[in-house]
Amino acid sequence: MASFAHRLVPDTIRGKILAIFGVAVILPMVAAGILMEREGKSALLHEKEQKLFGITRILDLYLDADLKDLLADRQALSIAARQEHLTQLNNRLSSFTDMVAAANPGIGIGYYSKALDAIVTYGPSRQYGRAIGMPIAADHPGRIVMRTGHERIETGPQVRGSIMNAMRPIKQGEEIVGYIWANELSTDVERQTFAIDRAAIWVCGTGILLGTVLAFGLSRGLDRDIKSITRGLAQMRTDLSVKIPEPRGEIGAIAIEINGMARAVLDARSVTERILHSIADGVVAVDSSSRITSINPAAQKMLDVTAQEAIGHPSDLVFGENYIFSRLLLDALDAGEEHTDIPGEIVLQERSLHVAVSSNVLRDSSVKTMGAVVVIKDLTEQSRLRTQVMRADRLAGLGELMAGVAHEIRNPLTSIRGFMQFLESCDDIEEWQKYSPLIIRQVDSLNSIIAELLEFGKPRPPAIQFVQINDLLREVLLLACGKSSVHVVLDLSPDLPPIEGDGESLKQAFLNIIINALQAIGRNGRIEISTSMQTNSVALIRFRDDGEGIAAEDLEKIFDPFYSTKPNGTGLGLAMVHRIVDAHYGTVTIFSKRGKGAEVNLRLPQLHHRTDELPVS
């Protein structure tokens, strides 16, 4: 039922105005016309009835006692005597009835004698004189009046024809001796009621016609103004500089506000475009189907394309087969994932750029994904400066390394030289047998130092592939703590995705950290290892122990080669960890207090590592 009523309501404002006009104006006007016509007819008939009964009262007042006696005379009369009696009554009454009838054109009046059972007079007599002496029909309503003694009005065919007849009994004392009537032809009444109908129809028709013209004109003007605004809004979809015509009235006020809003949006867009044109970072926006919708000059320069070549085309044509861009866009559009400062490289014909790429999802007002935006930071210059700084750091580190190597080698060499000087002048074979094991141990110490130096510095081609951190940790723990009494607590995230890395190198880094922890906690200590994925697609590996901890003054030097707080340590373990993590473009941080244990946090990005050579695992 509701859907049927909904279909009856027009869709356009113009149709709704006309429909409302029809319901709110035409229907009430028609109803008012019908009511007015009915009330007019009712008033007319009531007025007719009052008029006719008024005439009968006048006729009744005219009758004196003598006339009433003549009307009531019931003596048996011959035909001739009856006719004479009837003529006598007519002579006395006809002049009065003619006078009253003349004063009321169209009205027929008269007296009826019950005793004579005949019409005594019927005025105007020149029209109805032939009816004198005629009896009324047995079913005539006048007989009901004479029988009941009550006034009565009756409409229908009677002696005169179809009439409205008001009848009043003639009483002499308590006796009914006849009745008086005053009637009017129904055609006269109908003519007057028709005049009322015609007037009502004319008034209603004129009102409806005038209202329809006004409503049509109003709706037409309103429809024209609304269509003008609709056309303007459609043009504003592509050109906010379009101005909507501003008519007078409320519709004009709406158009003014829309134009003002369009100017504000245009100004805001202009400011945004100026900002995008002025920033050094590249910005590329795509729609939900991965077609480029916007690209600023910085991005055009980085990607070596023009706006005409990029806008409206699939992003693959602009980014080429670069894995990092495709992956970030896919994550943003399909999974709604956002990334921040993911390292990448753009290879052009004459140069290559080191960049950091961020992606964000673009959503509309209903939080529905409508596209994505990629921000590209050019880190080429920073990378070049970083390389220079790293080269300087390497040279400085190399100096420190050589100093450490010299220090580590000088002690065994000094011992070997002392033993050889002593044995040079000694011929006792027992002395040689006594000191030769000491010399061999010093030589082995030198060999161990050289082996660790080779392991620390010997490059090899990286074996980058997807690796599962949790599996690497379980394998390393099996090697390092297989038969140990140390309590190891694992909290490995089951949802940790694979990352790009060199598995063997990462196992070496994990092993070095766990060995340091085992050396710090003793036999009954506790090691906690956990993994998790952070929001910026970086894997976090946390190692925590309850060992003796590291003094604050040692934390700054903990990653330096040949710096160790252990009596027999070479200081290359954590330096190796730092090398491996740095080659994976990650970070390593250590938190510790003396006597409070230590915590080592490794952060490794999930995607796209540098192609530098990784250390040997």
Side-chain angles (χ1 to χ4, degrees), residues 34-211:
I34 294 173
L35 181 63
M36 182 178 67
E37 185 266 343
R38 290 183 177 179
E39 291 294 327
K41 284 184 178 181
S42 176
L44 177 63
L45 294 175
H46 181 70
E47 187 269 334
K48 292 291 184 183
E49 291 176 5
Q50 294 300 316
K51 178 181 177 181
L52 294 176
F53 278 122
I55 293 173
T56 61
R57 283 192 290 272
I58 293 173
L59 294 176
D60 189 34
L61 291 173
Y62 181 74
L63 295 175
D64 55 16
D66 185 33
L67 286 172
K68 288 185 179 182
D69 288 341
L70 288 175
L71 288 171
D73 189 1
R74 290 187 176 82
Q75 61 180 333
L77 298 175
S78 62
I79 296 176
R82 179 178 178 278
Q83 183 63 39
E84 183 181 353
H85 191 187
L86 186 63
T87 300
Q88 182 183 2
L89 285 172
N90 180 261
N91 290 336
R92 294 186 64 176
L93 295 173
S94 61
S95 59
F96 181 72
T97 57
D98 286 344
M99 182 184 66
V100 175
N104 297 277
I107 303 298
I109 57 177
Y111 295 93
Y112 191 87
S113 172
K114 183 179 181 182
L116 296 176
D117 193 20
I119 296 173
V120 175
T121 181
Y122 201 148
S125 57
R126 67 178 180 273
Q127 288 181 289
Y128 308 116
R130 64 182 179 277
I132 295 172
M134 292 177 56
I136 60 176
D139 58 350
H140 193 283
R143 296 192 182 278
I144 300 175
V145 172
M146 290 186 293
R147 185 173 63 250
T148 61
H150 298 297
E151 291 181 345
R152 184 180 183 90
I153 190 156
E154 193 76 29
T155 301
Q158 296 177 32
V159 176
R160 184 183 175 191
S162 181
I163 59 173
M164 175 186 284
N165 196 12
M167 292 163 285
R168 180 185 184 87
I170 301 172
K171 295 181 180 181
Q172 187 181 30
E174 298 297 327
E175 184 182 1
I176 306 298
V177 298
Y179 74 93
I180 306 167
W181 73 85
N183 59 47
E184 187 173 3
L185 291 173
S186 297
T187 54
D188 294 338
V189 177
E190 290 172 356
R191 184 172 58 254
Q192 294 180 51
T193 57
F194 178 73
I196 294 175
D197 292 343
R198 184 172 54 193
I201 292 172
W202 187 88
V203 171
C204 291
T206 302
I208 291 172
L209 179 61
L210 181 60

Side-chain angles (χ1 to χ4, degrees), residues 463-605:
I464 297 295
Q465 58 185 346
F466 279 106
V467 295
Q468 178 54 258
I469 295 295
N470 293 344
D471 294 340
L472 298 181
L473 287 170
R474 293 188 184 96
E475 185 177 345
V476 169
L477 284 173
L478 187 62
L479 294 174
C481 307
K483 297 182 180 181
S484 174
S485 60
V486 172
H487 182 52
V488 179
V489 178
L490 290 179
D491 183 16
L492 306 181
S493 172
D495 300 327
L496 190 71
I499 70 168
E500 289 181 342
D502 186 313
E504 294 301 320
S505 296
L506 291 176
K507 284 196 293 185
Q508 180 67 57
F510 299 158
L511 183 62
N512 288 349
I513 294 173
I514 294 173
I515 289 175
N516 279 355
L518 291 173
Q519 292 174 350
I521 62 178
R523 293 183 179 180
N524 299 319
R526 175 188 176 93
I527 299 176
E528 298 177 5
I529 303 175
S530 64
T531 59
S532 61
M533 199 68 185
Q534 297 183 312
T535 56
N536 55 352
S537 299
V538 172
L540 172 64
I541 305 98
R542 178 179 286 116
F543 301 85
R544 184 185 291 116
D545 65 64
D546 58 355
E548 60 187 13
I550 305 172
E553 61 272 15
D554 294 330
L555 282 175
E556 295 182 358
K557 302 178 182 180
I558 200 69
F559 294 114
D560 293 346
F562 294 105
Y563 182 84
S564 177
T565 59
K566 295 187 286 291
N568 298 322
T570 62
L572 292 176
L574 289 180
M576 178 72 71
V577 171
H578 191 277
R579 257 308 272 285
I580 294 172
V581 173
D582 184 66
H584 283 75
Y585 216 75
T587 60
V588 54
T589 53
I590 297 181
F591 305 95
S592 180
K593 287 185 179 180
R594 195 69 176 173
K596 300 288 187 178
E599 179 179 314
V600 181
N601 292 334
L602 304 185
R603 289 180 173 84
L604 302 174

Side-chain angles (χ1 to χ4, degrees), residues 223-301:
D223 183 64
R224 182 180 60 251
D225 294 340
I226 291 176
K227 285 183 177 179
S228 175
I229 292 177
T230 303
R231 286 192 298 268
L233 289 173
Q235 293 173 342
M236 281 183 178
R237 287 174 179 259
T238 56
D239 185 4
L240 286 174
S241 63
V242 172
K243 185 177 180 181
I244 298 176
E246 300 171 356
R248 292 183 298 175
E250 288 80 357
I251 299 297
I254 294 174
I256 291 172
E257 292 300 323
I258 292 175
N259 288 333
M261 183 176 63
R263 285 194 298 271
V265 173
L266 187 61
D267 293 341
R269 176 182 289 182
S270 178
V271 171
T272 303
E273 289 176 351
R274 285 196 293 270
I275 292 173
L276 289 176
H277 277 68
S278 62
I279 62 176
D281 293 343
V283 179
V284 182
V286 300
D287 59 18
S288 57
S289 60
S290 194
R291 288 185 176 273
I292 294 177
T293 58
S294 176
I295 182 169
N296 72 337
Q300 296 174 33
K301 183 178 179 181

